[in-house]
């Protein structure tokens, strides 16, 4: 590959000689790669102060962690990223002092960093990431990865050098909820496929994985008190494939893995609509006592739990209790969208009975924004999935709830639905909300999006990925990349950094990383991808 060794070395020797310095014992030739500027990171950091000599990872580098087990865990994670490509040992040590990569948890000088912020300082001899909490260290490590050459993401040994530009990044998120939703119901994704996506989300400081665990086409989580739900209700998928489900142990494994990447898992059981898989599993859940067949199509809005039957609430209580017990996070999503087969009165009555069950098991309700057509529980969050062009009355219903204290998660479908086609030629995805190219998904402001909703009600953004047309990890990646990093940036970066022309250049610089990681992505003509690969 690199044929220019001799001439370049010669050039260096000549330069050194011309400078009147003895070449004997001189260091190897200077790096031929440009050092990534501190600001070329996605999401854009809150503040960047470049300057000073770069740091360089070498075979002697140590990862110094202090003071706790939590810092050590982040250090081990970082070592796991760096060792295969650098080929260095990179021991993780808590020996104090000394140069290297330093991960410091501190209460002293970190008040402004909050729970997820960090400060990264790079200079000759040391890169130091300081944070108040381990989530901040972890996010700082993601920034460090992006500052290193893209080859650092390869899984085999690569030639260095491994420089990090000099200066300081001080960074905190704009919003606390930076989510991605994966629909594992329309098509099932294995634990390993979910973990792969989690790793990709973590690159961009996403901190919430919303799992859409049930829908008409499949029930994907084992529930002991209703044992037919998973093996029968989960036995198929859109198009009639074999489906699948997570055992509780597998679900816990996903939750644990997500936590190791500082993501919380928000499980969703969609109700009272989107429930054919449950209705097919248990005849008694149907108003007429007759179980419908399993469903493998893509229509929506035809199923409903039987709002008048007491057994419905036994079912809901059992499912929420069991799911809450294996979910350490604060939130439980109860869906509530497209309940077209439930009357308005029934919908309101259902939500009035179900929301307290979520609270009883210690969780906070999240629902799709139709929940605001009922009375959202105190503290509940509503996830807005309308369009720019959604009618004023529907938007005002959501805005009024927000003025009343309901928090908002913004997932406008014609902006951040990752299952929308990019163009008419996109081979995967749907287009009911329109075609959503990369710029469109990035170029909006969450704080100003919903007329009449106070900016303070907005808790963050989330990019849903519905899986009617998706079956593999490359399918997931093609739809998520490159739009997902833009949503992550809307959630993380200060509004003052928002600028498509700058963003597209930073985004383009991610492509060699995705190539190194073996990820699929859509080469949007809107993005100035590097050429010559
Ligand atoms: C709407 S978004 C749905 C889903 C579909 C999706 C496809 C929402 C709350 N409901 O049932 O999968 O569109 O884009």
């Amino acid at each position: 590959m690199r044929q220019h060794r001799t001439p370049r070395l010669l050039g260096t020797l000549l330069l050194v000689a011309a400078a009147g310095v003895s070449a004997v014992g001189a260091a190897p030739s200077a790096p031929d790669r440009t050092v990534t500027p501190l600001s070329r990171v996605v999401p854009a950091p809150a503040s960047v102060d470049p300057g000073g000599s770069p740091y360089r990872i070498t075979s002697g580098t140590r990862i110094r962690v202090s003071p706790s087990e939590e810092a050590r865990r982040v250090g081990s994670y970082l070592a796991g990223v760096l060792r295969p490509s650098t080929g260095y040992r990179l021991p993780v040590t808590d020996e104090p002092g000394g140069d290297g990569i330093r991960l410091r948890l501190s209460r002293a000088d970190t008040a402004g960093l909050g729970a997820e912020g960090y400060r990264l300082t790079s200079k000759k001899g040391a890169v130091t990431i300081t944070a108040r909490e381990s989530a901040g260290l972890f996010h700082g490590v993601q920034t460090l990865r992006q500052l290193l050459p893209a080859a650092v993401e390869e899984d085999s040994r690569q030639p260095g050098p491994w420089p990090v530009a000099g200066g300081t990044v001080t960074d905190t998120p704009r919003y606390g909820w930076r989510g991605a939703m994966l629909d594992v119901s329309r098509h099932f994704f294995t634990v390993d496929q979910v973990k792969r996506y989690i790793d990709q989300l973590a690159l961009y400081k996403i901190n919430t994985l919303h799992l859409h665990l049930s829908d008409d086409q499949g029930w994907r989580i084992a529930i002991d008190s209703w044992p037919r739900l998973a093996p029968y209700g989960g036995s198929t998928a859109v198009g009639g494939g074999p489906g699948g489900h997570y055992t509780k142990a597998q679900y816990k494994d996903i939750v644990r893995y997500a936590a190791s990447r500082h993501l919380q898992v928000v499980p969703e059981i969609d109700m009272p609509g989107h429930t054919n898989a449950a209705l097919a599993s248990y005849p008694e859940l149907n108003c007429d006592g007759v179980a419908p067949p399993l469903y493998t199509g893509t229509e929506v809005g035809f199923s409903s739990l039987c709002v008048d039957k007491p057994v419905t609430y036994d079912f809901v209580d059992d499912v929420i209790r069991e799911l809450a017990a294996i979910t350490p996070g604060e939130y439980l999503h109860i869906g509530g969208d497209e309940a077209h087969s439930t009357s308005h009165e029934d919908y309101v009555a259902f939500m009035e009975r179900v929301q307290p069950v979520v609270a009883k098991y210690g969780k906070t309700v999240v629902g799709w924004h139709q929940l605001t057509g009922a009375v959202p529980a105190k503290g509940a969050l509503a996830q807005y999935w309308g369009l720019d062009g959604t009618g004023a009355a529907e938007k005002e219903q959501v805005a009024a709830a927000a003025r009343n204290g309901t928090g908002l998660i913004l997932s406008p479908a014609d902006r951040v639905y990752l299952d929308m086609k990019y163009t008419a030629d996109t081979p995967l995805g749907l287009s009911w909300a329109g075609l959503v190219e990369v710029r469109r998904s990035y170029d909006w402001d969450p704080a100003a999006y919903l007329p009449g909703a106070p900016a303070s009600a907005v808790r963050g953004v989330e990019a849903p990925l519905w899986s009617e047309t998706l079956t593999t990890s490359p399918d997931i990646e093609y739809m998520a990349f490159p739009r997902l990093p833009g949503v992550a940036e809307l959630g993380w970066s200060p509004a003052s950094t928002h600028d498509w022309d700058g963003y597209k250049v930073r985004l383009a610089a991610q492509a060699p990383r995705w190539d190194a990681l073996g990820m699929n992505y859509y080469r949007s003509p809107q993005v100035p991808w590097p050429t010559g690969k």
Side-chain angles (χ1 to χ4, degrees), residues 181 183 186 212 215-217 268 270 274 298-301 333 335-338 368-370 383 385-386 411 413 417-420 429-433 464-468:
M181 188 213 78
D183 172 9
R186 271 51 176 275
H212 185 75
D215 212 303
D216 292 318
Q217 297 86 348
E268 177 186 354
D270 202 345
H274 290 279
T298 58
E299 296 299 312
V300 298
H333 202 306
D337 59 312
E338 297 175 322
W368 297 104
H369 76 259
Q370 282 73 17
Q383 184 168 7
W385 62 282
S411 302
Y417 263 35
L418 300 178
D419 61 313
M420 290 301 116
L430 305 174
S431 55
W432 66 264
L465 183 48
W466 301 97
S467 64
E468 285 92 337

Side-chain angles (χ1 to χ4, degrees), residues 62-73:
R62 291 167 166 257
I63 299 177
R64 299 181 184 275
V65 298
S66 67
S68 69
E69 194 46 44
E70 284 181 78
R72 172 171 284 274
R73 270 199 289 274

Side-chain angles (χ1 to χ4, degrees), residues 189-260:
F189 295 97
T190 64
V191 171
D192 283 345
Q193 288 172 313
V194 175
K195 287 180 175 174
R196 182 175 166 90
Y197 196 41
I198 288 171
D199 278 331
Q200 294 163 358
L201 299 173
L203 289 169
Y204 298 102
K205 305 183 175 77
I206 294 285
N207 67 357
T208 299
L209 175 68
H210 166 182
L211 285 177
H212 185 75
L213 289 170
S214 70
D215 212 303
D216 292 318
Q217 297 86 348
W219 186 283
R220 304 300 183 204
I221 180 73
I223 299 293
D224 299 334
S225 50
W226 295 77
R228 260 171 74 78
L229 285 172
Y232 181 72
S235 64
T236 191
V238 165
H245 69 269
Y246 307 120
T247 64
K248 285 189 172 176
Q250 288 174 321
Y251 175 82
K252 288 186 202 167
D253 185 26
I254 291 173
V255 167
R256 215 175 313 120
Y257 192 83
S260 76

Side-chain angles (χ1 to χ4, degrees), residues 334-336 343-359 364-382 397-398 400-402 404-407:
I334 56 173
S343 71
H344 176 68
E345 296 67 40
D346 278 359
Y347 183 85
V348 172
F350 179 82
M351 287 304 179
E352 212 163 289
R353 284 192 69 170
V354 166
Q355 292 181 94
V357 179
V358 176
T364 299
V365 168
V366 189
W368 297 104
H369 76 259
Q370 282 73 17
L371 179 62
T372 61
V375 184
K378 198 168 163 353
L381 304 181
Q397 176 188 295
V398 181
N404 251 331
T406 298

Side-chain angles (χ1 to χ4, degrees), residues 26 38 93 208 256 264 282 291 349 362 417 423 439 444 465 520 531:
L38 288 187
T93 163
T208 299
R256 215 175 313 120
Q264 65 172 340
Y282 287 97
Y417 263 35
T423 72
R439 178 170 187 166
W444 59 285
L465 183 48
N520 195 16
T531 48

